[in-house]
């Protein structure tokens, strides 16, 4: 029986296992784990069962690229193919590295088998059986390594085919991109050429017709402006025609009323009325927008400048007299408050009193109601006025002012500055001027507040009456009865 000493064991280990060359590159930092399977087969223990093989990775990427090919643009498709080509090149490099690792494994297994063969000739007994078993394991490992190399060769072939396919597809995509780019450039150049031709044609046309066309256009514009000016001067609009017709009808109605009053007076004179009542008479149209003038009609009548005059309102003939405060002149212009009432003037001289009365109630102005209703729809109404008096003193300046009549207040402006403005209140008064000459029908008295009053002259009688009616209507909406001095406003006036 052979005795193995310690020195012999160390010598055997040094001689049986030859040293490994320093330039050998191992694919991992540790030797792979193996186990004995059925029928004494050597099986490699897998470290990660979830890791995909190279073949599965390549198949998955190829399927993903083919799936997205239809919905990608040409440029994106080319980019994808280039990325796929790079991935295939990377896989090819990894396959080369695996080939080198496989070669190194073959070298290592060969050296290990040679070492075991040398060791088998030097040992005997149980150690020799162990060495032979190790040699069998190495041979089985070499067989599995050959099988794995076959699989790697097949995968390498598939990777090469995929790389070739991706390279060809990338080249085709590049060609397609270049063709599309060239086509687009050609279309752009054609469009630019067409635009340039159109611009040149327009410039040529403008140059040819510039001088004559500009001259003709200027002459045509002058003719149009002249025609418009002539039309505005000599052909008023339908509204202006209707206004003229209404004005003519008002004049005719006033003449008819005046003639009717004269007939009534002549009839009364013939029927034997008192002689005292014929000392004076009222001259003028008994309607809103006109004025009434007391005139003597007998040689026995005294001069009006020597008489005392007072105007009254009567709800009906023979009714109670309501004195009109401040109406003490021979001339009185009815205001909207007088519509529907009878006016009477008492003339006193030397203790004797004579009265003159209108033939009937004061008539409203034609069309004034519709005009006021149209103005009510506006938010703020403006009237051009001239200040005649301020606080009872004559105003010498004839500058145009603007009277604003709003729903909450009234304001008098001169340019951009405000002369007076005040909300509707019980201290505010507004009425027609009670006295004066022929312009009394166009003037109004406005007391802004206690201590500040104006006499305003409007452009027309219609505007004066409309302004009074609007202001009283808006004040009534604010629960304020806007009237003249000492007037008792009736409901709905």
């Amino acid at each position: 029986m052979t005795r193995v000493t310690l020195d012999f064991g160390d010598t055997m280990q040094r001689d049986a296992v030859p040293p490994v060359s320093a330039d050998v590159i191992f694919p991992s930092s540790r030797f792979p784990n193996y186990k004995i399977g059925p029928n004494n087969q050597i099986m490699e223990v897998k470290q990660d069962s979830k890791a995909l093989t190279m073949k599965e990775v390549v198949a998955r990427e190829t399927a993903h690229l083919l799936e997205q090919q239809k919905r990608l643009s040409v440029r994106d498709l080319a980019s994808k193919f280039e990325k796929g080509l790079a991935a295939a090149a990377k896989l090819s490099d990894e396959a080369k590295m695996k080939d080198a690792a496989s070669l190194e494994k073959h070298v290592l297994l060969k050296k290990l088998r040679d070492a075991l063969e040398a060791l088998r000739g030097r040992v005997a007994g149980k150690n020799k059986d162990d060495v032979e078993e190790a040699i069998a394991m190495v041979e089985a490992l070499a067989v599995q390594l050959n099988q794995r190399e076959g699989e790697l060769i097949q995968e390498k072939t598939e990777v090469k085919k995929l790389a070739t396919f991706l390279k060809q597809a990338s080249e085709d995509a590049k060609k397609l991109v270049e063709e599309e780019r060239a086509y687009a450039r050609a279309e752009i150049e054609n469009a630019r050429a067409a635009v340039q031709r159109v611009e040149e044609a327009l410039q040529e046309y403008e140059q040819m017709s510039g001088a004559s066309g500009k001259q003709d256009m200027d002459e045509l514009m002058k003719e149009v402006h002249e025609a418009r000016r002539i039309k505005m001067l000599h052909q008023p609009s339908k509204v202006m025609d209707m206004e003229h017709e209404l004005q003519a009808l008002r004049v005719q109605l006033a003449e008819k009323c005046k003639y009717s009053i004269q007939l009534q007076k002549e009839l009364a004179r013939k029927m034997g009325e008192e002689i005292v009542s014929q000392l004076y008479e009222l001259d003028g149209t008994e309607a809103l927008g006109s004025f009434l003038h007391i005139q003597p009609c007998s040689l026995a009548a005294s001069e009006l400048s020597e008489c005392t005059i007072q105007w009254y309102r009567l709800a009906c003939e023979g009714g109670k007299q309501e004195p009109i405060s401040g109406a003490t002149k021979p001339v009185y212009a009815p205001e909207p408050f007088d519509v529907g009432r009878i006016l009477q003037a008492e003339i006193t001289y030397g203790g004797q009193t004579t009265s003159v009365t209108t033939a009937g109630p004061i008539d409203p102005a034609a069309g004034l109601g519709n005009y006021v209703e149209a103005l009510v729809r506006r938010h703020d109404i403006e009237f051009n006025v001239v200040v005649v008096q301020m606080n009872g003193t004559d105003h010498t300046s004839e500058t145009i002012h603007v009277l604003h009549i709003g729903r909450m207040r009234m304001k008098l402006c001169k340019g951009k500055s405000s002369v007076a403005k005040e909300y509707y209140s019980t201290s505010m008064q507004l009425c027609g001027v009670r006295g004066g000459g022929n312009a009394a029908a166009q003037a109004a008295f406005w007391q802004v507040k206690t201590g500040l009053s104006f006499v305003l002259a409007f452009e027309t009688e219609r505007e004066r009456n409309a302004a009074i009616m609007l202001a009283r209507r808006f004040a009534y909406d604010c629960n304020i009865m806007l009237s003249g001095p000492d007037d008792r406003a009736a409901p709905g006036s």
Side-chain angles (χ1 to χ4, degrees):
M1 186 173 180
T2 305
R3 181 179 179 183
V4 181
T5 62
L6 180 61
D7 296 337
F8 175 76
D10 295 338
T11 305
M12 181 191 68
Q13 292 177 359
R14 287 194 299 269
D15 296 339
V17 182
V20 181
S21 175
D23 57 351
V24 176
I25 300 174
F26 295 96
S28 63
S29 60
R30 61 184 179 83
F31 197 82
N33 296 329
Y34 297 96
K35 68 178 181 178
I36 303 297
N39 299 327
N40 294 326
Q41 292 184 355
I42 299 175
M43 298 181 64
E44 182 180 356
V45 179
K46 295 183 179 180
Q47 298 295 329
D48 188 6
S49 60
K50 296 182 180 179
L52 299 177
T53 62
M54 186 185 304
K55 183 177 180 181
E56 293 175 348
V57 172
V58 172
R60 188 180 63 179
E61 291 294 330
T62 304
H64 185 65
L65 287 175
L66 292 176
E67 180 182 358
Q68 292 186 348
Q69 181 178 1
K70 294 184 179 180
R71 61 173 184 266
L72 292 175
S73 63
V74 176
R75 189 184 303 274
D76 294 338
L77 186 61
S79 176
K80 286 288 184 179
F81 276 120
E82 289 178 356
K83 291 180 180 179
L85 185 61
K90 185 176 180 180
L91 291 176
S92 178
D93 295 338
E94 292 179 356
K96 290 180 180 179
M97 292 178 63
K98 288 184 178 182
D99 290 342
S102 176
L103 181 60
E104 292 171 359
K105 289 179 180 179
H106 278 287
V107 173
L108 182 60
L109 289 176
K110 186 176 183 302
K111 290 182 178 181
L112 181 59
R113 188 175 181 280
D114 292 342
L116 291 174
E117 287 290 341
L119 182 61
R120 186 176 60 179
R122 296 182 182 181
V123 297
K126 187 177 180 179
N127 292 332
K128 186 175 181 181
D129 295 337
D130 293 339
V131 171
E132 289 178 354
E133 185 178 356
I135 292 173
M137 291 176 63
V138 170
E139 290 178 353
L141 184 61
V143 172
Q144 289 187 359
L145 185 60
N146 291 331
Q147 293 177 356
R148 185 64 182 273
E149 285 179 355
E151 294 177 358
L152 289 176
I153 292 172
Q154 185 178 0
E155 290 179 0
K156 183 177 179 181
T157 305
E158 292 178 357
V159 168
K160 289 182 178 180
K161 290 181 180 179
L162 178 61
T164 305
F165 169 73
L166 291 175
K167 185 176 181 181
Q168 183 64 33
S170 177
E171 293 178 357
D172 294 341
K174 288 181 179 179
K175 290 181 180 179
L176 185 58
V177 168
E178 293 296 331
E179 291 177 358
E180 292 292 335
R181 187 177 297 171
Y183 179 74
R185 288 176 179 174
E187 290 294 330
I188 292 173
E189 292 297 330
N190 294 334
R192 287 179 180 175
V195 171
Q196 186 175 2
R197 288 195 299 269
V198 171
E199 289 179 353
E200 291 176 356
L202 288 175
Q203 291 178 359
E204 185 178 359
Y205 176 76
E206 289 177 357
Q207 291 177 358
M208 292 177 61
S209 61
S212 59
K214 185 177 181 180
Q215 185 177 1
D216 295 341
M217 184 62 68
D218 293 339
E219 293 178 356
L220 182 60
M221 290 296 293
K222 290 180 180 179
E223 292 179 359
V224 169
H225 287 307
E226 185 67 20
R228 288 179 178 175
R229 188 182 66 83
I230 295 173
K231 184 177 180 180
M232 293 297 293
L233 291 175
H234 301 286
Q235 296 182 5
S237 62
K238 292 182 179 180
V239 177
M240 295 176 65
D241 292 341
M242 294 175 65
E243 187 70 25
H244 293 322
E245 291 178 3
L246 289 174
Q247 188 67 25
L249 291 175
R250 292 192 189 103
V251 174
Q252 293 179 7
L253 181 61
E255 292 177 354
K256 295 290 184 183
C257 291
K258 187 175 182 180
Y259 182 66
S260 175
I261 293 171
Q262 291 178 355
L263 291 178
Q264 290 178 2
K265 291 178 180 179
E266 290 179 1
L267 181 61
R269 190 180 297 114
K270 290 181 180 179
M271 292 177 65
E273 286 189 351
E274 297 179 359
I275 301 175
V276 179
S277 63
Q278 300 302 317
L279 293 176
Y280 302 95
E281 64 178 0
L282 289 177
D283 185 22
T285 305
E286 298 176 359
L288 186 63
S290 62
F291 64 91
L292 301 176
H293 189 197
I294 303 174
Q295 290 184 347
C297 60
S298 174
L299 296 176
S302 303
E303 291 292 334
L304 292 175
S305 60
E306 300 174 358
C307 300
T308 302
I309 302 173
Q310 178 61 53
W311 290 82
Y312 298 91
R313 297 189 186 97
L314 285 78
C316 59
E317 189 173 357
K320 183 180 179 180
Q321 293 179 337
E322 297 177 6
I324 303 174
S325 177
T328 59
K329 302 292 182 180
V331 176
Y332 178 76
E335 60 159 298
F337 194 64
D338 299 323
V339 174
R341 301 186 180 188
I342 297 174
L343 295 180
Q344 186 182 70
E346 288 187 350
I347 304 100
T348 304
Y349 178 76
Q352 295 183 357
T353 301
T354 303
S355 63
V356 289
T357 309
T358 56
I362 300 298
D363 296 325
L368 181 60
N370 295 332
Y371 179 60
V372 172
E373 290 298 328
L375 294 178
V376 167
R377 299 187 184 96
R378 303 180 186 176
H379 178 70
D380 190 14
I381 302 97
E382 299 179 355
F383 296 97
N384 293 329
V385 297
V386 175
V387 178
V388 179
Q389 289 183 358
M390 181 176 180
N391 294 331
T393 305
D394 292 340
H395 202 268
T396 56
S397 177
E398 296 183 357
T399 307
I400 300 296
H401 292 64
V402 179
L403 179 64
H404 298 265
I405 299 180
R407 299 184 181 275
M408 301 295 294
R409 68 178 183 179
M410 294 177 62
K411 181 172 65 173
L412 181 65
C413 297
K414 179 182 178 182
K416 294 184 178 180
S417 60
S418 297
V419 178
K421 60 180 179 179
E422 187 71 19
Y423 289 94
Y424 298 116
S425 62
T426 55
S427 62
M428 182 181 292
Q429 295 179 357
L430 181 65
C431 63
V433 169
R434 296 169 177 180
N438 298 338
Q442 294 178 304
F445 171 78
W446 179 35
Q447 178 178 299
V448 183
K449 55 186 177 180
T450 304
L452 180 60
S453 62
F454 297 93
V455 175
L456 306 176
F458 290 78
E459 292 181 345
T460 62
E461 298 87 352
R462 185 184 187 186
E463 290 192 357
R464 173 255 205 179
N465 295 322
I468 295 175
M469 294 176 66
L470 283 171
R472 288 178 177 174
R473 182 167 179 172
F474 293 151
Y476 183 78
D477 294 339
C478 299
N479 296 323
I480 301 296
M481 303 303 294
L482 191 60
S483 58
D486 301 330
D487 284 345
R488 291 185 301 170
S493 62

